[in-house]
Amino acid sequence: MRWTPSIPELAQRDRFIKRVIEQRAVFAVSDDNGLAQVASQRRKGFDVTLLWSREAEAERWADALAEIPQVKRLTLAELLAGILIPIPEQKRFVGLDWNANPVEGEFNPLDIADKMRTQAIEGFVQRVRTAEQVFILEDRAGPAMMKCCGDGKRQFMPVWSDRSDAQSCINGPWSKMIALEIPLSNFLGLTLPWLAEHGYDVGPDYAINAGTLELAPKYLASRLNNRAAAAA
């Protein structure tokens, strides 16, 4: 039987995800053996990797969890690609804002990854509306494109709300590309219609090996336009 988190645990999960999306980072305690973890209280043979949304809380528990502790700041991309996605193969849960309570919430890492990606869309929309610009990678042949996970015949165009995030992906087959700024008005009026016309999707704040939500251009346009209407 699959264990279902209680309402307080779900509230704790949602607060954690909201903070992490807002600051685009999470904190963990590590030593020579890797990230700090404790034995699962709910499933024998499973461990719980501990994560915090506040650096001060990670520092508070560091000495109790590791001999020579180090508090690590992980970006959202590092969290998804390096921790949440590989964990299921290692029989692990994740503990969010762990506090040594008698009963702590333990969550399926893939469920947390999915919820973070979904919430990340809202963060992407807010940042883009504020800055009124998006970034893509491009060279002489055109913009960077990726194959969609669910359908290898379709493609999506990665887009970013921050130039540095786009530049962090300039390597491998994209090593000769540049980060190109697109004004929001052009993105809405030209780029998204072009993607829709050619049957392409769009991937907000794509991160290498971390996956992304592949959205229909019309859906992302509606979210951005709704934000614009709300701000007017």
Side-chain angles (χ1 to χ4, degrees), residues 178-231:
I178 61 171
L180 180 66
E181 175 186 326
I182 301 178
L184 178 56
S185 58
N186 289 357
F187 185 68
L188 288 169
L190 298 174
T191 306
L192 289 179
W194 178 82
L195 290 171
E197 179 182 350
H198 288 80
Y200 299 139
D201 290 336
V202 59
D205 283 337
Y206 169 81
I208 296 174
N209 296 327
T212 188
L213 287 177
E214 302 150 10
L215 307 178
K218 290 184 178 179
Y219 174 78
L220 183 57
S222 69
R223 294 293 301 274
L224 289 167
N225 281 319
N226 285 342
R227 279 284 170 185

Side-chain angles (χ1 to χ4, degrees), residues 99-115:
N99 200 34
N101 289 322
V103 178
E104 288 279 353
E106 300 176 1
F107 300 91
N108 182 306
L110 284 183
D111 288 347
I112 299 301
D114 287 342
K115 290 182 183 300

Side-chain angles (χ1 to χ4, degrees), residues 161-184:
S161 58
D162 184 87
R163 183 187 296 273
S164 63
D165 288 341
Q167 291 174 329
S168 71
C169 294
I170 298 178
N171 52 57
W174 295 347
S175 61
K176 296 184 179 179
M177 290 191 165
I178 61 171
L180 180 66
E181 175 186 326
I182 301 178
L184 178 56

Side-chain angles (χ1 to χ4, degrees), residues 120-164:
I121 294 174
E122 181 66 17
F124 173 89
V125 169
Q126 291 176 352
R127 289 188 294 274
V128 168
R129 288 305 313 172
T130 299
E132 297 189 352
Q133 61 188 12
V134 299
F135 296 90
I136 66 170
L137 294 185
E138 189 171 79
D139 61 14
R140 293 181 179 179
M145 302 294 291
M146 292 287 296
K147 289 184 178 180
C148 293
C149 294
D151 183 353
K153 296 180 180 180
R154 289 178 62 84
Q155 291 183 304
F156 72 91
M157 185 176 77
V159 298
W160 293 268
S161 58
D162 184 87
R163 183 187 296 273
S164 63

Side-chain angles (χ1 to χ4, degrees), residues 55-87:
E55 185 175 15
E57 283 299 298
E59 291 174 344
R60 175 188 174 195
W61 293 106
D63 288 337
L65 294 167
E67 290 187 7
I68 307 177
Q70 177 184 2
V71 173
K72 298 185 65 174
R73 183 184 188 276
L74 304 169
T75 66
L76 183 57
E78 288 171 333
L79 172 65
L80 289 168
I83 299 177
L84 295 181
I85 293 176
I87 280 178

